[in-house]
Amino acid sequence: MPTQKQFNKVPPFPSDVPVIDLERLGFAKLLANDHNESQKLFEACRETGFFLIDLRGCDEGKTMLKHAETAFNLSEKIHKIDEDELKRYNYNPPADLFGYKPIGATKLEDGSPDRMAFYSLSQDDILGTTLPRPQPPIIEHNRPSLSSFFTHAHLIISHLLSHLDTHLDLPTGTLASLSPPNKPSGTSLRLLKALASPPSTTTATANPRADLQGHTDLGSITMLFNIVGGLQVLSPSATLPPKDSDWRYVRPEPYCALINLGDAMVQWSGGVVKSSMHRVITAPGLQRGVERL
């Protein structure tokens, strides 16, 4: 997640909600090939497929944090653009998953409209692997910084994957080679916005509702930067169908990226690693009254 400066702009995450215990790994230690840190990464991949990467302590991590803050600022500006203008760039699933998705475009499990908008940017477009797509002027203006974001994110993820290569007895670079940045892919940067909810004076989780229903990611690996809570992971001990009490909040942490593995990584590893169900609901406590980017 971005720096403490960004966290200071929103109410604190409450202390009275169920939180999943995620491993917090130092990227600087992983760069130094610290054996214990590498083993913790592998265990986290096998248990839940979710873990935190602390990006402090090395130049590569500091650069990624700067890019994350730039992306937050860009997201805020994108979602202030008039919706009629943004709809000129609407995504068109399943044929095209890039562009703008307005709030309410999809339905939740109970049939109600979703409460999340996003603008999805294609890595292929930004890095020039394919012909450029039409984009709003603010995206065109920020193409150089977005290109640097994708490049540095790939560097960090490739190093994480190199540790998985080792634990899976694969030649170094095997997993990263399955998603090269110079070939067409489905890799994207999603700039999200979830609506604020009315404040509650009762409990931290009063009247929570889903903004994004439970799912696993289809791709290989996701890097998430967030400041406001609401993301929940299904407890490893839960049975299906899950109950509300089976879900655990992910506490956003300054200076960290949240990593989660997708279904493709489970397939590539022969089922050794895990892709966990997760969802997005109303942010807990006073954070519920804040728009979530």
Side-chain angles (χ1 to χ4, degrees):
M1 290 69 173
T3 64
Q4 188 64 52
K5 177 182 176 182
Q6 295 285 341
F7 277 71
N8 291 340
K9 296 178 181 179
V10 302
F13 188 88
S15 59
D16 58 345
V17 295
V19 174
I20 191 166
D21 184 21
L22 296 181
E23 195 68 64
R24 181 169 178 158
L25 306 170
F27 188 64
K29 289 185 178 180
L30 292 171
L31 276 178
N33 292 318
D34 182 282
H35 174 76
N36 290 335
E37 208 76 353
S38 183
Q39 187 62 40
K40 290 177 183 178
L41 182 151
F42 186 51
E43 291 171 1
C45 290
R46 295 184 65 186
E47 291 175 7
T48 63
F50 274 82
F51 54 93
L52 292 163
I53 292 292
D54 191 326
L55 294 168
R56 293 173 294 182
C58 60
D59 291 341
E60 295 87 344
K62 291 176 183 177
T63 299
M64 193 70 244
L65 285 171
K66 289 179 181 178
H67 285 312
E69 291 202 330
T70 299
F72 267 90
N73 293 334
L74 179 60
S75 183
E76 188 174 2
K77 293 174 183 177
I78 280 283
H79 291 293
K80 285 182 178 179
I81 297 174
D82 184 79
E83 188 162 287
D84 287 338
E85 172 66 15
L86 286 176
K87 284 182 177 178
R88 293 177 53 199
Y89 309 96
N90 264 9
Y91 86 143
N92 183 31
D96 185 0
L97 299 178
F98 302 113
Y100 177 65
K101 186 203 83 69
I103 288 171
T106 59
K107 302 295 183 184
L108 301 174
E109 292 162 324
D110 62 1
S112 61
D114 74 87
R115 291 164 50 84
M116 184 172 290
F118 64 72
Y119 198 100
S120 185
L121 292 161
S122 163
Q123 175 180 268
D124 297 348
D125 173 17
I126 299 301
L127 295 186
T129 306
T130 59
L131 292 175
R133 299 167 57 97
Q135 302 285 6
I138 192 169
I139 297 295
E140 297 293 351
H141 177 73
N142 282 277
R143 278 185 179 272
S145 63
L146 288 166
S147 176
S148 187
F149 180 100
F150 276 111
T151 299
H152 281 87
H154 181 77
L155 181 153
I156 287 174
I157 288 173
S158 293
H159 192 74
L160 300 180
L161 294 181
S162 72
H163 285 273
L164 272 183
D165 286 334
T166 298
H167 292 288
L168 295 171
D169 292 325
L170 298 172
T172 300
T174 297
L175 292 174
S177 71
L178 297 174
S179 301
N182 60 345
K183 292 186 178 179
S185 74
T187 301
S188 67
L189 167 61
R190 278 190 173 183
L191 304 173
L192 305 170
K193 182 185 84 169
L195 292 176
S197 298
S200 171
T201 57
T202 53
T203 64
T205 55
N207 301 317
R209 60 158 290 169
D211 292 331
L212 189 63
Q213 64 189 17
H215 65 285
T216 56
D217 288 355
L218 294 176
S220 57
I221 190 167
T222 299
M223 176 188 289
L224 175 68
F225 294 96
N226 66 336
I227 298 170
V228 177
L231 174 65
Q232 291 187 321
V233 177
L234 190 63
S235 170
S237 61
T239 57
L240 298 179
K243 305 181 293 294
D244 277 345
S245 59
D246 292 327
W247 295 91
R248 301 286 185 271
Y249 280 99
V250 174
R251 181 194 303 274
E253 296 286 355
Y255 309 104
C256 292
L258 177 67
I259 305 295
N260 77 279
L261 305 185
D263 298 340
M265 193 62 66
V266 176
Q267 183 178 4
W268 293 346
S269 71
V272 173
V273 302
K274 186 173 182 179
S275 172
S276 288
M277 287 274 289
H278 52 284
R279 68 179 185 177
V280 180
I281 70 165
T282 303
L286 295 177
Q287 290 193 344
R288 65 184 288 129
V290 178
E291 266 192 359
R292 194 170 6 175
L293 295 174

Short mmCIF file of all heavy atoms in Angstrom, two decimals, residues 24-35 37-38 52-62 156 159-160 163 255:
data_model
loop_
_atom_site.label_atom_id
_atom_site.label_comp_id
_atom_site.label_asym_id
_atom_site.label_seq_id
_atom_site.Cartn_x
_atom_site.Cartn_y
_atom_site.Cartn_z
N ARG A 24 3.94 -10.96 6.36
CA ARG A 24 4.50 -9.69 5.87
C ARG A 24 5.97 -9.92 5.57
O ARG A 24 6.77 -10.14 6.47
CB ARG A 24 4.30 -8.59 6.91
CG ARG A 24 4.84 -7.24 6.48
CD ARG A 24 4.38 -6.17 7.45
NE ARG A 24 4.89 -4.85 7.12
CZ ARG A 24 4.34 -3.71 7.51
NH1 ARG A 24 3.25 -3.74 8.26
NH2 ARG A 24 4.86 -2.55 7.18
N LEU A 25 6.32 -9.86 4.30
CA LEU A 25 7.66 -10.19 3.84
C LEU A 25 8.39 -8.93 3.39
O LEU A 25 7.80 -8.04 2.78
CB LEU A 25 7.59 -11.18 2.68
CG LEU A 25 6.78 -12.46 2.95
CD1 LEU A 25 6.58 -13.24 1.66
CD2 LEU A 25 7.48 -13.31 3.99
N GLY A 26 9.69 -8.88 3.66
CA GLY A 26 10.51 -7.75 3.24
C GLY A 26 11.05 -7.98 1.83
O GLY A 26 11.76 -8.96 1.60
N PHE A 27 10.72 -7.07 0.92
CA PHE A 27 11.22 -7.26 -0.45
C PHE A 27 12.74 -7.14 -0.50
O PHE A 27 13.39 -7.84 -1.29
CB PHE A 27 10.57 -6.24 -1.40
CG PHE A 27 10.89 -6.50 -2.84
CD1 PHE A 27 10.45 -7.65 -3.47
CD2 PHE A 27 11.65 -5.60 -3.58
CE1 PHE A 27 10.75 -7.91 -4.80
CE2 PHE A 27 11.95 -5.84 -4.92
CZ PHE A 27 11.50 -7.01 -5.53
N ALA A 28 13.31 -6.28 0.35
CA ALA A 28 14.77 -6.16 0.39
C ALA A 28 15.41 -7.50 0.77
O ALA A 28 16.44 -7.89 0.21
CB ALA A 28 15.19 -5.07 1.37
N LYS A 29 14.80 -8.23 1.70
CA LYS A 29 15.33 -9.54 2.10
C LYS A 29 15.19 -10.55 0.96
O LYS A 29 16.08 -11.38 0.73
CB LYS A 29 14.60 -10.06 3.34
CG LYS A 29 14.95 -9.31 4.62
CD LYS A 29 14.28 -9.96 5.82
CE LYS A 29 14.66 -9.27 7.11
NZ LYS A 29 14.02 -9.90 8.29
N LEU A 30 14.08 -10.49 0.25
CA LEU A 30 13.89 -11.40 -0.87
C LEU A 30 14.88 -11.10 -2.00
O LEU A 30 15.38 -12.02 -2.66
CB LEU A 30 12.45 -11.32 -1.39
CG LEU A 30 11.38 -11.86 -0.43
CD1 LEU A 30 9.99 -11.53 -0.96
CD2 LEU A 30 11.53 -13.37 -0.24
N LEU A 31 15.18 -9.82 -2.20
CA LEU A 31 16.20 -9.46 -3.20
C LEU A 31 17.56 -10.02 -2.81
O LEU A 31 18.35 -10.40 -3.69
CB LEU A 31 16.30 -7.93 -3.33
CG LEU A 31 15.31 -7.23 -4.25
CD1 LEU A 31 15.54 -5.72 -4.21
CD2 LEU A 31 15.42 -7.73 -5.69
N ALA A 32 17.81 -10.09 -1.51
CA ALA A 32 19.08 -10.62 -1.02
C ALA A 32 19.06 -12.14 -0.91
O ALA A 32 20.01 -12.75 -0.42
CB ALA A 32 19.41 -10.01 0.34
N ASN A 33 17.94 -12.74 -1.37
CA ASN A 33 17.77 -14.21 -1.35
C ASN A 33 17.88 -14.78 0.05
O ASN A 33 18.48 -15.85 0.26
CB ASN A 33 18.78 -14.88 -2.29
CG ASN A 33 18.48 -14.57 -3.75
OD1 ASN A 33 17.32 -14.57 -4.17
ND2 ASN A 33 19.51 -14.27 -4.52
N ASP A 34 17.29 -14.07 1.01
CA ASP A 34 17.24 -14.56 2.38
C ASP A 34 16.43 -15.85 2.43
O ASP A 34 15.27 -15.90 2.03
CB ASP A 34 16.59 -13.48 3.27
CG ASP A 34 16.54 -13.88 4.72
OD1 ASP A 34 15.65 -14.68 5.09
OD2 ASP A 34 17.37 -13.38 5.50
N HIS A 35 17.05 -16.92 2.93
CA HIS A 35 16.42 -18.25 2.90
C HIS A 35 15.13 -18.28 3.73
O HIS A 35 14.11 -18.82 3.27
CB HIS A 35 17.40 -19.30 3.43
CG HIS A 35 16.78 -20.66 3.56
ND1 HIS A 35 16.54 -21.48 2.48
CD2 HIS A 35 16.32 -21.33 4.67
CE1 HIS A 35 15.96 -22.61 2.90
NE2 HIS A 35 15.83 -22.55 4.21
N GLU A 37 13.14 -15.83 4.61
CA GLU A 37 12.08 -15.01 3.99
C GLU A 37 11.49 -15.73 2.79
O GLU A 37 10.28 -15.71 2.56
CB GLU A 37 12.66 -13.65 3.58
CG GLU A 37 11.64 -12.53 3.58
CD GLU A 37 11.29 -12.04 4.99
OE1 GLU A 37 11.74 -12.65 5.98
OE2 GLU A 37 10.56 -11.05 5.09
N SER A 38 12.33 -16.40 2.02
CA SER A 38 11.87 -17.15 0.86
C SER A 38 10.97 -18.31 1.28
O SER A 38 9.94 -18.59 0.65
CB SER A 38 13.07 -17.69 0.08
OG SER A 38 12.67 -18.38 -1.07
N LEU A 52 1.69 -10.00 2.21
CA LEU A 52 2.10 -8.61 2.08
C LEU A 52 3.58 -8.53 1.75
O LEU A 52 4.38 -9.29 2.30
CB LEU A 52 1.82 -7.84 3.37
CG LEU A 52 0.36 -7.63 3.75
CD1 LEU A 52 0.25 -7.24 5.21
CD2 LEU A 52 -0.27 -6.56 2.87
N ILE A 53 3.93 -7.60 0.88
CA ILE A 53 5.33 -7.32 0.58
C ILE A 53 5.65 -5.90 1.04
O ILE A 53 5.07 -4.93 0.54
CB ILE A 53 5.61 -7.45 -0.93
CG1 ILE A 53 5.49 -8.90 -1.38
CG2 ILE A 53 7.00 -6.92 -1.28
CD1 ILE A 53 6.57 -9.81 -0.83
N ASP A 54 6.54 -5.77 2.01
CA ASP A 54 6.99 -4.46 2.50
C ASP A 54 8.06 -3.97 1.54
O ASP A 54 9.11 -4.59 1.36
CB ASP A 54 7.54 -4.61 3.92
CG ASP A 54 7.78 -3.26 4.59
OD1 ASP A 54 8.14 -2.30 3.89
OD2 ASP A 54 7.62 -3.18 5.82
N LEU A 55 7.78 -2.83 0.91
CA LEU A 55 8.64 -2.34 -0.17
C LEU A 55 9.73 -1.37 0.30
O LEU A 55 10.46 -0.82 -0.52
CB LEU A 55 7.78 -1.67 -1.25
CG LEU A 55 6.84 -2.64 -1.99
CD1 LEU A 55 5.83 -1.86 -2.83
CD2 LEU A 55 7.65 -3.58 -2.88
N ARG A 56 9.85 -1.17 1.59
CA ARG A 56 10.89 -0.29 2.09
C ARG A 56 12.24 -1.01 2.12
O ARG A 56 12.32 -2.23 2.05
CB ARG A 56 10.55 0.19 3.51
CG ARG A 56 9.34 1.11 3.57
CD ARG A 56 8.93 1.41 4.99
NE ARG A 56 8.43 0.23 5.68
CZ ARG A 56 7.98 0.24 6.94
NH1 ARG A 56 7.97 1.36 7.63
NH2 ARG A 56 7.55 -0.88 7.48
N GLY A 57 13.31 -0.23 2.18
CA GLY A 57 14.62 -0.82 2.38
C GLY A 57 15.40 -1.13 1.13
O GLY A 57 16.52 -1.66 1.21
N CYS A 58 14.84 -0.80 -0.05
CA CYS A 58 15.59 -1.01 -1.30
C CYS A 58 15.07 -0.03 -2.35
O CYS A 58 13.93 0.42 -2.30
CB CYS A 58 15.45 -2.45 -1.79
SG CYS A 58 13.76 -2.97 -2.13
N ASP A 59 15.92 0.29 -3.30
CA ASP A 59 15.55 1.26 -4.33
C ASP A 59 14.39 0.78 -5.18
O ASP A 59 13.51 1.57 -5.55
CB ASP A 59 16.76 1.56 -5.23
CG ASP A 59 17.85 2.34 -4.50
OD1 ASP A 59 17.55 2.95 -3.46
OD2 ASP A 59 19.01 2.32 -4.98
N GLU A 60 14.37 -0.51 -5.49
CA GLU A 60 13.29 -1.05 -6.34
C GLU A 60 11.93 -0.87 -5.66
O GLU A 60 10.94 -0.51 -6.30
CB GLU A 60 13.54 -2.53 -6.63
CG GLU A 60 14.77 -2.81 -7.46
CD GLU A 60 16.04 -2.94 -6.64
OE1 GLU A 60 16.04 -2.51 -5.46
OE2 GLU A 60 17.04 -3.46 -7.17
N GLY A 61 11.89 -1.14 -4.35
CA GLY A 61 10.64 -0.99 -3.62
C GLY A 61 10.22 0.46 -3.48
O GLY A 61 9.03 0.79 -3.64
N LYS A 62 11.17 1.34 -3.21
CA LYS A 62 10.85 2.76 -3.07
C LYS A 62 10.29 3.31 -4.38
O LYS A 62 9.34 4.11 -4.37
CB LYS A 62 12.10 3.54 -2.66
CG LYS A 62 12.57 3.25 -1.24
CD LYS A 62 13.86 3.99 -0.92
CE LYS A 62 14.38 3.64 0.47
NZ LYS A 62 15.68 4.30 0.75
N ILE A 156 9.25 -6.54 -9.89
CA ILE A 156 9.01 -7.04 -8.54
C ILE A 156 8.33 -8.40 -8.58
O ILE A 156 8.73 -9.34 -7.88
CB ILE A 156 8.17 -6.01 -7.75
CG1 ILE A 156 9.05 -4.81 -7.40
CG2 ILE A 156 7.56 -6.64 -6.49
CD1 ILE A 156 8.34 -3.68 -6.74
N HIS A 159 10.65 -11.21 -9.53
CA HIS A 159 11.53 -11.68 -8.46
C HIS A 159 10.78 -12.57 -7.48
O HIS A 159 11.34 -13.57 -7.00
CB HIS A 159 12.17 -10.50 -7.72
CG HIS A 159 13.29 -10.92 -6.82
ND1 HIS A 159 14.52 -11.30 -7.29
CD2 HIS A 159 13.33 -11.10 -5.47
CE1 HIS A 159 15.29 -11.67 -6.28
NE2 HIS A 159 14.59 -11.55 -5.16
N LEU A 160 9.54 -12.24 -7.18
CA LEU A 160 8.73 -13.12 -6.32
C LEU A 160 8.58 -14.49 -6.97
O LEU A 160 8.70 -15.53 -6.30
CB LEU A 160 7.36 -12.50 -6.06
CG LEU A 160 7.32 -11.13 -5.37
CD1 LEU A 160 5.88 -10.68 -5.20
CD2 LEU A 160 8.03 -11.18 -4.02
N HIS A 163 11.48 -16.93 -6.64
CA HIS A 163 11.52 -17.72 -5.40
C HIS A 163 10.60 -18.93 -5.51
O HIS A 163 10.94 -20.02 -5.03
CB HIS A 163 11.13 -16.84 -4.21
CG HIS A 163 12.21 -15.91 -3.78
ND1 HIS A 163 13.20 -16.26 -2.89
CD2 HIS A 163 12.48 -14.63 -4.16
CE1 HIS A 163 14.02 -15.22 -2.71
NE2 HIS A 163 13.60 -14.23 -3.47
N TYR A 255 3.18 1.25 3.09
CA TYR A 255 4.44 0.84 2.47
C TYR A 255 4.42 -0.60 1.93
O TYR A 255 5.46 -1.12 1.55
CB TYR A 255 5.61 1.00 3.46
CG TYR A 255 5.69 2.34 4.09
CD1 TYR A 255 5.29 2.53 5.42
CD2 TYR A 255 6.15 3.46 3.38
CE1 TYR A 255 5.34 3.79 6.01
CE2 TYR A 255 6.21 4.72 3.96
CZ TYR A 255 5.81 4.88 5.28
OH TYR A 255 5.86 6.12 5.86
#
